[in-house]
Amino acid sequence: MGGTSSKLPKDLLSEYQELTFLTKQEILMAHKIFSELQDRENGLYSSRVSMEKILTLPELKSNPFRKRICHVFSTSDMKDGSLSFEDFLDLLSAFSDSATLEIKSHYAFRIFDFDDDGTLDARDLEKLVNSLTGETDDTRLTGEEMRQLISNILEESDIDKDGTVNLSEFQHVISRSPDFVSSFKIVL
Amino acid sequence: ELFQNIQVQKEIIANIRTKPWPIRRKLKVLKQAREIVLKYEGRLTRTRGYQAAGADLLKKISRVLYNIVVLFIPWEMRIKKIESHFGSGVASYFIFLRWLFGINIVLTIMTGAFIVLPELLAGAPFGTTRSKTIPKDHLASAQDLDTIWSLGARLSSLIFTGYLQYSVLFYGYYGNVRKIGSAGYRLPLAYFMVGMAVFAYSFITLLRKMAKNSRMSLAGASDENYTFCWRVFCAWDYLIGNPEAAESKGAAIVNSIRVSISCIQQTQINLSLAVLISLRILANILVLLSLTGSIYIIYFVVDRSQKLEQEKPELTLWEKNEVSVVVSLITMIAPSAFELVAQLEMYHPRTSLRFQLARVLVLYLGNLYSLIIALLDKVNSMSSAVSRNLSDSTSYLATISQSTEDNLSTIIPDITERQNSTLTRTLLEMQSLLNHTVLYEYNTRSQQDPCWETYVGQEMLKLSIIDMIFTVASILLIDFIRGLVVRYLSDCCCWDLESKFPEYGEFKIAENVLHLIYNQGMIWMGAFFSPCLPAFNVLKLVGLMYLRSWAVLTCNVPHQQVFRASRSNNFYLTMLLFMLFLCMLPTIFAIVRYRPSQYCGPFSGQEKIYDIISETIANDFPLWFSKVMSYVTSPVVVLPALLLLFMLIYYLQSIARSLKVTNSQLRLQLQNVSYSKLNIIMMYFTRLQAPEGSDKKPEQESDITSMESSARSASPPRRNGSITNFESPVRHGNSIRTITQSVSRPDIPRAAGATQSPTHTYPCHMLHSLISRHSGYLGSTSGSCRSKSYHNMAYKPCTRYAENIHSDPLFRKTLRPMHTEPAVITAQSYVGHRAHSTRYVIVNEHEARKKLMRSNTRLPRHYRLADEPTEIVELYPRNVKCYIPRPPHRSHQPHLSEEEEEEDPKSSTRRGSFRQSKRPRPLSDRHQTTQFYIGDTINSQLSMEQGLYGDEEEGDQEEDWVNDPQTNIRGPESAHRYGEPYVKPKTKHKVEPSLTESDSASLASSSDQQNSSTDQYIQVIHNKKKYLKSNAKLTKTKSKSSVKLNVSGTNDLVCSNV
């Protein structure tokens, strides 16, 4: 998939179409963008693009969860958040228009699950809120506000009252939200 | 089974997209599934193979088509670009615009194809009839360069006197010949039908869209409110790619969070209530004043223009376009004024936005209505002159046939008489119609056909055009110039232009959408009178699309309080529907109530416009048809039909209400269940700790030993026991290979953490063997098995696992005081797995709802089914015993599962605690028994088909059920350590009774039993996790080698099974 083979094999392309929610044009587009990112990696040929490169994409640049997104979709053994082309397609597929709510909420949950422990606990929520509000002092919530907010969130979503939000509870909440599907999207 | 297998595989293929796995895994799964399908499908029948090929081809074609269709969606890239800059809120405006564009295209095609084209092609050519010729004295001015040139500038003069008035643009041009052309096209009929069809089509598309939207967002149906969760989880708009937009979005999020917190804290009373209320009253008064003012101005302007028209023969440009200009000005300025006023009120931003929208909508509607009424009134004001002028215009009237004159004369006295009494609007319009014709006769004297329909159409078109001009101007002036000034002058100004006073223009989504709606309302209002209005609107929308998108991208910033996108979609549509209805009213009213113009238009000479229908029926249909129609339209039929409709509406509404009640009840039950679950668990613990003697125990023990002895002969030496166990099933295959592979890759690091206790490996092997054997047995499950486990382990971290590890040493240490130990373990498992039980509940709830919508949950279901037998098989020997002592309980309380559950633990506790004093073995025992009971009850429940209710109860059961795997695992493990005999019975069960048991189980479960299978599913996840780790740690190489040896196993087994 280097700069030279800028065309995807046909059968692979159809496989990708089968496996993702993307159309042919979108996959080709993604491939173009991805190989551009690759090209910038001087010298060393690698099928992966480092997280820093990915984050230069304008679509991700201003996203507060950009690093989490990379980590979640990365299949790298190094846990460095680098993406292969297939990971990249996964990302786009999950964020595409036609992806189902289930997929989207699943990945959203993983993105929000900062410590990767399978549940959203108070610390995850705090991190989540902080990345939403930004780290500057004037936007950041005070401790009291944060406590209140988190307890309210748990109050609403934590059906089994174990102090954390798990995937199913999360999906339950998300599925009721009218905006989620339309806003959990990234288009190239 | 082969068939089932293939079905399962096919479902995998079909649903692979919806799995949240990395692509590589999907690819592998897909390949495998395809291989299996390919391999076996041909074996079943040849035709099936062809079918598959055909389906493949179809799929490919549909994909290609889809790709092509995507290419042709207009402005897709443009919208996406905007979306990625400004988020979905702004994009929703453009999507809405595009949707309106689509509707208008269809309307244009309808009118164009059925009205305009036939008239142009087959109608009487221009100049042949009176309605199609320009009057002599106007001809000069019509051909005047000035008039023709003035398409944009002097539109009114053009429209009034130029060619345009006598063109297909307006109602008046169409001839009233019943059949035109050689084919006998019934133009008047078509005109009427299309006019109605325009409304019908708009209604239908609108309603369908709304229904689709509301179906998509469940929020419409339920009044659940997760304010905080949504505000945090769904806050970010991932589409935003523009740093500025991101910044404002971030600020908006912070704002909304803060506001919601402060709402909770109830600390926002910064103004005294009296002041606030008086301010709000003041604001409302202001708004009302401006509304009435605008209405008055419109009236006044219309009145004035009419007077001017009377006095001056030649009007200036301003005088001619005064009305539409004023209306457009008002629509442009008033919203901003309202916004200013709204700042007085100090409402919550959301509320104020709603107020604002409501006010603007009222304003627009008021404008449209007052314009129409004023137009009619303008004619009405001259009614006094009518009688006088009637004689004046006799020169013209002489040409009118006698009958029509009679008509007129009979109507006029009638009207004047009624005028004295009430001045209802209907009367007004009735009058106006009449007066209008007369007025025109008076006004233009020599002009042949005063045509009120044309007149209304002209006004609408004029308004639409002026509105467009104003929109363009406002975009250019207000947004663009302002943007330029702010950007380039901010350096040389003493304050920061970008953040202080002028700022950049905000893109006010809601107002803009309302404007679109208003615009569309005009079209609907005028479409009947001016068939080309939709076509014009198409052009207008195209222009607006480009201009707006350009303006947004260059010089706008998104609105601070972003109007939420998807929820507002339906909001927009509701407004549009409202508008459509209100705009339809005048048109329909005119059609029903007014007499069409006498000398122009397709319906000239008729009493009522809709007479065309009855006339056609009477003349052109067979006699019986008109008879039938007269019956159908008689009150005898209509009244009952109406009644029936009302009843139907009432019935549907009551059903909806009852459904709502059911919904809330179910939700309540759900909550209750999740609480009662907690209670049950607590009870379970307390019972556990109180050891009880039981009579059943001895016989069980003996049974166990007998089993052991029987098993011993067959079983290999102790340490290797499990391993061989593990290996032997491996020949069944497929599944094992895949599992081991998947395990070895991502989970090594995690598994490494879990390697502290070597004992874990054994149970894992056991489980693994179970699974693999089982999958081999069912053949089909291998793929899904693997994928499931893989998914779970890849994602689920091993924190819980760590807990188990901790518990294990404990377990080992405290051999003797066993009574307390199980409690600890179960407690842990409880903590760990509670989440899953709830998850189960929710999943089921979803399933219940979504069952119709999607079938992709079926895959796990199948997979789960497959696993159920294993469990039961494993339990089997013991079950018999447990079952026998207490059949009555189960038989009559199939759905009182909670009690049963309580009982189960009780009995098992009895047994377990008793045995615990001697050996660790009982632990596994106990759980097996519970397992059995639960599985059984589930089946019975399902057989009773309890539906939702059953689902929830199973949520409870699952609690215990879920606990099992861990303890299960631990059971054999301890057995390994404390004596081989205990391993053997287990392994033996697995081998021997498996066939029959699993058969029956699969039979039982294959029908519909998603519920029980769900449990299995969850359990299997746990098992797998263990397995993974063990595998990673201990026998990575071994499993692999065994895989190599036995890859072909599955096929053999499957075949034999068949």
Side-chain angles (χ1 to χ4, degrees):
Chain A
M1 259 180 272
T4 51
S5 61
S6 59
K7 280 192 73 171
L8 278 170
K10 226 177 173 182
D11 50 338
L12 203 56
L13 188 63
S14 74
E15 291 285 348
Y16 285 154
Q17 280 186 66
E18 191 73 26
L19 294 176
T20 63
F21 292 99
L22 304 171
T23 61
K24 190 173 149 199
Q25 292 96 332
E26 284 168 324
I27 291 173
L28 290 177
M29 174 84 145
H31 190 251
K32 209 179 106 206
I33 288 172
F34 192 80
S35 40
E36 271 168 19
L37 286 178
Q38 270 182 331
D39 286 344
R40 272 187 265 159
E41 228 154 286
N42 39 1
L44 263 167
Y45 167 81
S46 102
S47 62
R48 301 190 155 271
V49 171
S50 67
M51 185 163 76
E52 288 72 32
K53 293 269 181 207
I54 292 286
L55 293 186
T56 57
L57 286 175
E59 287 79 14
L60 285 173
K61 211 162 43 186
S62 44
N63 196 318
F65 304 109
R66 50 190 180 274
K67 288 194 176 149
R68 281 300 305 164
I69 291 176
C70 280
H71 277 295
V72 163
F73 285 95
S74 168
T75 54
S76 158
D77 300 325
M78 312 275 292
K79 300 244 173 283
D80 57 354
S82 62
L83 298 183
S84 67
F85 178 59
E86 290 178 347
D87 299 339
F88 189 58
L89 279 188
D90 267 335
L91 191 155
L92 293 180
S93 169
F95 279 102
S96 73
D97 263 334
S98 41
T100 61
L101 175 69
E102 235 166 314
I103 290 262
K104 281 177 185 286
S105 54
H106 176 96
Y107 279 111
F109 182 76
R110 287 177 60 183
I111 288 170
F112 294 157
D113 184 12
F114 282 82
D115 50 8
D116 285 325
D117 65 350
T119 59
L120 298 184
D121 51 20
R123 251 175 316 158
D124 286 327
L125 291 176
E126 192 177 334
K127 271 189 192 170
L128 166 58
V129 173
N130 275 339
S131 27
L132 272 178
T133 57
E135 295 294 328
T136 54
D137 281 333
D138 55 328
T139 57
R140 199 178 186 158
L141 299 184
T142 63
E144 175 62 22
E145 281 173 325
M146 183 67 83
R147 205 189 47 73
Q148 181 82 38
L149 178 65
I150 287 173
S151 73
N152 277 327
I153 290 173
L154 289 178
E155 176 80 16
E156 281 173 1
S157 60
D158 187 15
I159 296 168
D160 60 359
K161 303 293 168 213
D162 63 350
T164 61
V165 183
N166 60 37
L167 177 60
S168 47
E169 288 163 351
F170 183 77
Q171 284 181 329
H172 178 80
V173 168
I174 289 288
S175 68
R176 302 301 194 274
S177 162
D179 300 309
F180 179 73
V181 172
S182 63
S183 67
F184 195 77
K185 278 197 289 192
I186 290 179
V187 279
L188 283 181
Chain B
E1 281 181 39
L2 195 54
F3 184 66
Q4 270 182 0
N5 180 9
I6 287 172
Q7 285 298 313
V8 170
Q9 298 299 335
K10 275 187 177 164
E11 266 172 35
I12 293 175
I13 294 174
N15 295 324
I16 189 118
R17 275 183 185 197
T18 61
K19 299 279 174 293
W21 313 325
I23 268 186
R24 207 175 301 163
R25 195 164 312 139
K26 284 190 200 166
L27 256 181
K28 219 170 269 163
V29 172
L30 184 69
K31 257 181 210 151
Q32 229 158 32
R34 276 198 187 141
E35 259 170 35
I36 291 172
V37 170
L38 269 184
K39 210 178 242 171
Y40 297 118
E41 200 158 46
R43 223 179 276 186
L44 277 177
T45 53
R46 186 145 304 200
T47 52
R48 201 172 281 282
Y50 290 133
Q51 276 175 15
D56 259 14
L57 197 69
L58 260 183
K59 216 199 296 178
K60 240 173 226 165
I61 289 173
S62 69
R63 199 194 293 150
V64 167
L65 279 183
Y66 177 67
N67 281 337
I68 290 172
V69 166
V70 165
L71 265 186
F72 284 104
I73 295 177
W75 306 309
E76 187 71 6
M77 291 313 289
R78 193 172 276 268
I79 288 177
K80 286 203 164 158
K81 197 174 164 199
I82 292 168
E83 215 171 24
S84 64
H85 272 80
F86 292 96
S88 54
V90 175
S92 74
Y93 167 82
F94 289 96
I95 289 168
F96 185 69
L97 202 160
R98 186 173 64 184
W99 187 73
L100 276 184
F101 172 75
I103 282 195
N104 277 299
I105 288 262
V106 174
L107 295 188
T108 308
I109 289 171
M110 267 161 51
T111 53
F114 294 112
I115 300 179
V116 178
L117 268 186
E119 174 68 32
L120 281 180
L121 293 179
F126 187 79
T128 50
T129 62
R130 207 172 47 207
S131 66
K132 291 181 184 180
T133 39
I134 296 172
K136 287 269 153 49
D137 50 344
H138 285 270
L139 201 58
S141 69
Q143 279 170 340
D144 196 354
L145 182 72
D146 185 41
T147 329
I148 297 171
W149 161 85
S150 63
L151 188 72
R154 297 193 56 188
L155 248 173
S156 72
S157 71
L158 185 70
I159 285 174
F160 269 119
T161 59
Y163 283 114
L164 276 184
Q165 186 182 352
Y166 304 96
S167 74
V168 287
L169 263 182
F170 298 113
Y171 171 94
Y173 180 77
Y174 297 89
N176 65 347
V177 187
R178 286 291 168 267
K179 291 182 182 179
I180 58 171
S182 52
Y185 188 77
R186 299 167 198 274
L187 183 78
L189 184 67
Y191 195 99
F192 184 74
M193 298 298 254
V194 167
M196 294 301 102
V198 163
F199 290 121
Y201 171 79
S202 311
F203 257 120
I204 289 170
T205 36
L206 210 68
L207 287 177
R208 273 186 56 188
K209 179 93 174 169
M210 283 177 77
K212 201 174 129 214
N213 268 3
S214 64
R215 226 179 301 138
M216 255 163 48
S217 66
L218 291 167
S222 66
D223 46 4
E224 288 174 75
N225 221 354
Y226 297 100
T227 328
F228 288 94
C229 290
W230 289 345
R231 213 150 269 179
V232 171
F233 294 149
C234 315
W236 188 254
D237 195 333
Y238 288 75
L239 286 161
I240 291 176
N242 186 356
E244 284 176 19
E247 213 168 89
S248 70
K249 179 79 186 175
I253 290 171
V254 173
N255 226 4
S256 74
I257 290 176
R258 284 240 165 91
V259 165
S260 57
I261 290 174
S262 64
C263 274
I264 285 294
Q265 288 167 345
Q266 296 285 337
T267 56
Q268 52 155 359
I269 304 167
N270 40 13
L271 259 178
S272 72
L273 208 62
V275 175
L276 199 64
I277 285 178
S278 58
L279 269 178
R280 284 178 186 176
I281 289 174
L282 180 70
N284 275 317
I285 288 174
L286 279 177
V287 168
L288 274 182
L289 275 182
S290 59
L291 278 179
T292 47
S294 73
I295 288 172
Y296 175 74
I297 289 174
I298 290 172
Y299 255 96
F300 174 77
V301 167
V302 172
D303 194 43
R304 203 173 83 99
S305 73
Q306 178 259 316
K307 272 187 192 127
L308 280 174
E309 233 165 68
Q310 269 184 314
E311 285 154 15
K312 285 197 231 168
E314 198 58 35
L315 300 177
T316 62
L317 177 63
W318 162 251
E319 282 161 352
K320 277 177 179 167
N321 292 318
E322 202 177 34
V323 179
S324 1
V325 169
V326 166
V327 171
S328 299
L329 264 182
I330 288 176
T331 50
M332 216 177 70
I333 293 172
S336 317
F338 288 167
E339 206 168 338
L340 277 179
V341 169
Q343 285 181 356
L344 272 181
E345 296 179 298
M346 287 185 283
Y347 276 122
H348 183 276
R350 196 159 9 108
T351 339
S352 72
L353 186 64
R354 271 185 206 148
F355 267 91
Q356 166 83 356
L357 288 179
R359 282 167 188 165
V360 172
L361 189 68
V362 168
L363 175 85
Y364 286 162
L365 274 176
N367 281 355
L368 277 183
Y369 263 79
S370 61
L371 179 69
I372 281 248
I373 293 173
L375 284 178
L376 300 171
D377 198 39
K378 158 183 169 180
V379 182
N380 190 41
S381 67
M382 299 182 46
S383 61
S384 56
V386 167
S387 49
R388 179 170 52 86
N389 291 323
L390 210 56
S391 57
D392 290 356
S393 59
T394 41
S395 62
Y396 171 62
L397 280 177
T399 59
I400 304 168
S401 64
Q402 191 59 43
S403 61
T404 45
E405 202 167 30
D406 283 347
N407 266 336
L408 271 175
S409 54
T410 48
I411 288 167
I412 289 165
D414 189 41
I415 283 167
T416 44
E417 176 191 324
R418 259 190 272 168
Q419 202 176 19
N420 296 331
S421 56
T422 56
L423 204 118
T424 59
R425 219 192 97 216
T426 55
L427 183 62
L428 196 90
E429 276 163 335
M430 170 78 173
Q431 257 177 347
S432 67
L433 150 72
L434 196 68
N435 294 335
H436 192 69
T437 53
V438 180
L439 155 82
Y440 259 82
E441 284 157 18
Y442 167 72
N443 236 2
T444 56
R445 211 51 79 80
S446 59
Q447 188 174 344
Q448 306 151 295
D449 10 47
C451 209
W452 63 269
E453 292 95 341
T454 301
Y455 180 60
V456 174
Q458 277 171 348
E459 282 301 320
M460 283 302 155
L461 185 64
K462 238 201 293 184
L463 190 61
S464 189
I465 289 169
I466 301 281
D467 180 72
M468 182 173 75
I469 292 169
F470 268 80
T471 312
V472 171
S474 78
I475 289 173
L476 284 182
L477 285 178
I478 297 184
D479 288 333
F480 185 61
I481 303 286
R482 183 169 159 194
L484 277 184
V485 166
V486 168
R487 178 138 299 181
Y488 293 109
L489 295 187
S490 62
D491 295 335
C492 51
C493 203
C494 46
W495 70 88
D496 187 7
L497 283 175
E498 292 197 12
S499 59
K500 291 270 174 51
F501 167 57
E503 293 179 311
Y504 291 107
E506 275 181 344
F507 185 73
K508 291 168 189 153
I509 303 162
E511 274 91 340
N512 278 306
V513 165
L514 268 188
H515 195 254
L516 275 185
I517 289 171
Y518 165 69
N519 180 41
Q520 190 61 35
M522 281 190 304
I523 303 305
W524 277 322
M525 232 181 211
F528 187 79
F529 305 113
S530 167
C532 288
L533 210 52
F536 171 74
N537 199 35
V538 166
L539 295 181
K540 182 175 171 178
L541 287 179
V542 171
L544 202 61
M545 182 80 184
Y546 283 103
L547 193 68
R548 264 282 175 231
S549 57
W550 167 78
V552 162
L553 284 176
T554 49
C555 49
N556 271 347
V557 292
H559 200 285
Q560 273 289 329
Q561 294 118 22
V562 177
F563 205 65
R564 312 227 62 170
S566 66
R567 173 172 294 183
S568 48
N569 269 348
N570 245 358
F571 177 77
Y572 300 158
L573 291 175
T574 319
M575 291 220 175
L576 196 63
L577 191 69
F578 187 58
M579 199 65 167
L580 171 59
F581 181 71
L582 287 182
C583 291
M584 204 178 67
L585 275 186
T587 313
I588 297 287
F589 188 82
I591 288 170
V592 171
R593 203 48 211 261
Y594 288 175
R595 180 197 171 88
S597 308
Q598 289 294 319
Y599 318 108
C600 70
F603 309 111
S604 52
Q606 285 172 215
E607 196 59 35
K608 289 273 160 32
I609 288 177
Y610 58 80
D611 279 349
I612 188 75
I613 297 281
S614 46
E615 193 188 305
T616 314
I617 285 173
N619 297 339
D620 299 324
F621 279 89
L623 194 65
W624 61 266
F625 190 80
S626 66
K627 234 178 211 168
V628 168
M629 282 310 287
S630 71
Y631 279 129
V632 167
T633 51
S634 70
V636 183
V637 179
V638 170
L639 277 182
L642 256 178
L643 221 62
L644 192 72
L645 271 181
F646 278 125
M647 269 153 55
L648 209 71
I649 288 172
Y650 179 75
Y651 173 68
L652 287 179
Q653 203 164 29
S654 61
I655 278 187
R657 215 180 301 136
S658 70
L659 279 180
K660 210 174 263 177
V661 171
T662 323
N663 212 356
S664 66
Q665 273 179 350
L666 281 176
R667 195 163 39 234
L668 209 72
Q669 266 178 358
L670 192 73
Q671 278 168 359
N672 284 342
V673 161
S674 58
Y675 285 122
S676 64
K677 237 184 305 177
L678 230 147
N679 293 338
I680 289 163
I681 297 294
M682 296 311 290
M683 237 137 66
Y684 181 66
F685 289 152
T686 51
R687 299 243 168 110
L688 251 184
Q689 304 220 323
E692 282 177 353
S694 121
D695 303 343
K696 288 176 233 157
K697 186 243 150 193
E699 56 178 279
Q700 280 198 333
E701 279 291 292
S702 65
D703 190 77
I704 290 166
T705 46
S706 68
M707 296 287 259
E708 284 161 11
S709 59
S710 65
R712 194 175 299 174
S713 58
S715 69
R718 196 238 301 180
R719 270 294 156 192
N720 296 336
S722 62
I723 293 172
T724 49
N725 227 339
F726 165 58
E727 280 179 339
S728 61
V730 165
R731 75 186 133 86
H732 308 302
N734 234 342
S735 66
I736 288 185
R737 178 183 43 141
T738 52
I739 288 172
T740 51
Q741 281 176 350
S742 58
V743 163
S744 54
R745 215 187 318 131
D747 252 57
I748 295 170
R750 282 173 191 171
T755 50
Q756 295 167 1
S757 70
T759 48
H760 264 291
T761 59
Y762 285 106
C764 295
H765 285 301
M766 308 250 317
L767 284 166
H768 175 209
S769 67
L770 275 178
I771 292 155
S772 58
R773 183 175 46 71
H774 180 64
S775 56
Y777 171 65
L778 274 184
S780 66
T781 50
S782 59
S784 52
C785 232
R786 179 184 61 105
S787 50
K788 230 13 190 215
S789 66
Y790 188 71
H791 153 49
N792 267 291
M793 86 195 146
Y795 173 44
K796 292 276 173 186
C798 49
T799 44
R800 236 174 290 129
Y801 189 64
E803 279 183 354
N804 297 336
I805 293 164
H806 284 303
S807 71
D808 278 325
L810 261 178
F811 193 63
R812 237 177 287 142
K813 260 187 282 169
T814 54
L815 250 181
R816 274 302 132 193
M818 213 58 222
H819 323 275
T820 56
E821 218 37 57
V824 171
I825 290 160
T826 44
Q828 275 169 346
S829 63
Y830 164 60
V831 168
H833 292 280
R834 212 155 42 108
H836 287 279
S837 58
T838 36
R839 163 201 195 150
Y840 167 70
V841 174
I842 293 165
V843 163
N844 262 337
E845 183 194 297
H846 274 289
E847 273 175 2
R849 283 197 192 174
K850 288 190 206 155
K851 218 176 280 174
L852 293 175
M853 290 169 63
R854 265 184 288 143
S855 63
N856 63 350
T857 45
R858 248 198 282 162
L859 168 60
R861 228 180 282 155
H862 270 267
Y863 157 64
R864 286 177 237 138
L865 290 185
D867 254 279
E868 187 172 26
T870 350
E871 288 307 320
I872 290 177
V873 169
E874 196 185 356
L875 311 174
Y876 178 65
R878 248 154 257 283
N879 295 341
V880 181
K881 237 147 296 130
C882 302
Y883 187 107
I884 292 162
R886 305 189 295 134
H889 289 281
R890 270 214 329 281
S891 55
H892 24 120
Q893 5 170 276
H895 68 270
L896 296 179
S897 58
E898 293 185 13
E899 294 174 29
E900 218 174 358
E901 234 184 324
E902 287 171 37
E903 235 169 308
D904 276 337
K906 206 198 298 169
S907 62
S908 59
T909 319
R910 260 180 246 139
R911 255 174 274 131
S913 56
F914 200 81
R915 250 177 268 128
Q916 275 161 12
S917 58
K918 295 178 180 176
R919 293 168 199 166
R921 175 84 177 97
L923 239 182
S924 64
D925 259 357
R926 196 192 62 218
H927 281 283
Q928 283 177 347
T929 53
T930 24
Q931 268 181 346
F932 169 68
Y933 272 105
I934 290 161
D936 206 359
T937 45
I938 287 165
N939 282 342
S940 61
Q941 269 186 343
L942 284 170
S943 63
M944 292 195 62
E945 290 186 349
Q946 285 180 319
L948 266 176
Y949 197 50
D951 278 358
E952 290 187 9
E953 281 171 351
E954 268 147 36
D956 296 348
Q957 295 173 342
E958 201 223 1
E959 187 89 9
D960 279 15
W961 191 244
V962 161
N963 286 342
D964 290 337
Q966 286 198 333
T967 40
N968 236 343
I969 289 158
R970 220 162 275 126
E973 159 203 322
S974 51
H976 273 297
R977 257 185 282 113
Y978 301 117
E980 39 178 314
Y982 292 99
V983 177
K984 280 158 211 158
K986 261 215 149 188
T987 57
K988 213 204 108 202
H989 314 161
K990 279 176 233 147
V991 182
E992 289 185 22
S994 63
L995 259 176
T996 55
E997 270 301 298
S998 55
D999 265 346
S1000 63
S1002 64
L1003 263 180
S1005 57
S1006 63
S1007 57
D1008 181 34
Q1009 329 229 344
Q1010 16 158 342
N1011 303 319
S1012 59
S1013 47
T1014 317
D1015 301 348
Q1016 295 294 346
Y1017 161 47
I1018 290 164
Q1019 189 176 13
V1020 167
I1021 291 168
H1022 297 304
N1023 295 349
K1024 290 279 168 52
K1025 229 184 289 158
K1026 307 271 148 107
Y1027 164 64
L1028 296 178
K1029 277 139 198 176
S1030 67
N1031 187 19
K1033 192 205 105 196
L1034 236 204
T1035 56
K1036 203 194 303 170
T1037 53
K1038 194 186 289 174
S1039 58
K1040 270 183 183 164
S1041 62
S1042 61
V1043 166
K1044 276 169 210 151
L1045 287 175
N1046 300 308
V1047 174
S1048 60
T1050 339
N1051 313 347
D1052 301 342
L1053 195 77
V1054 171
C1055 297
S1056 66
N1057 270 335
V1058 170

